[in-house]
Amino acid sequence: MTDTDSHASRLQAQLEDSPFHQLFQMTIASVDTAAQTLALRLDFTSAVERQAGTGQYHGGAIASLIDIAGDYALIAILGHGVPTINFRVDYLRPASGAALVATATVRRAGRTVGVVDIDVEDDAGRLVAIGRGCYGTQAG
């Protein structure tokens, strides 16, 4: 197991420790602390469906994916949990398919505030939503 794999495993365990996160069964797809990026995967289940039979993801599930991906991108480089200050989502197209992947890129990890941009793609590689989150960076 590489250091990157070990780091991803620790982050996955932390992700799974939250009862809210357990609702979505997300998985850490990749983490690159040097590039300050993290990818988080959300598989399609009936729990995230907008309306039964549509095969489309609910916007709230996508918003949660964006917020959690941004949060964990900062956790990966800071080593501690960070509270969300604010985040925004722009939905670009209806999201459907077997899975969504949110790729979070840390733009700034300052003394008190971190800023993360998040792109969400479907399993065909189409951009379905974008987000930006601001998080408190102080431990405690």
Side-chain angles (χ1 to χ4, degrees), residues 11-22 72:
L11 290 170
Q12 184 67 43
Q14 187 174 353
L15 181 70
E16 292 170 359
D17 194 42
S18 165
F20 181 73
H21 298 165
Q22 290 172 15
Y72 275 78

Side-chain angles (χ1 to χ4, degrees), residues 99-123:
L100 298 178
V101 175
T103 303
T105 304
V106 176
R107 298 297 181 197
R108 174 173 164 68
R111 185 176 56 79
T112 59
V113 175
V115 178
V116 184
D117 287 332
I118 304 98
D119 290 343
V120 180
E121 294 181 340
D122 63 15
D123 53 3

Side-chain angles (χ1 to χ4, degrees), residues 53-98:
T54 63
Q56 295 177 343
Y57 289 80
H58 190 284
I62 296 170
S64 292
L65 176 64
I66 286 171
D67 182 33
I68 295 165
D71 186 57
Y72 275 78
L74 281 167
I75 290 171
I77 62 171
L78 298 175
H80 59 81
V82 295
T84 303
I85 296 171
N86 188 22
F87 77 99
R88 67 168 284 136
V89 177
D90 293 317
Y91 300 99
L92 306 177
R93 66 174 59 229
S96 59

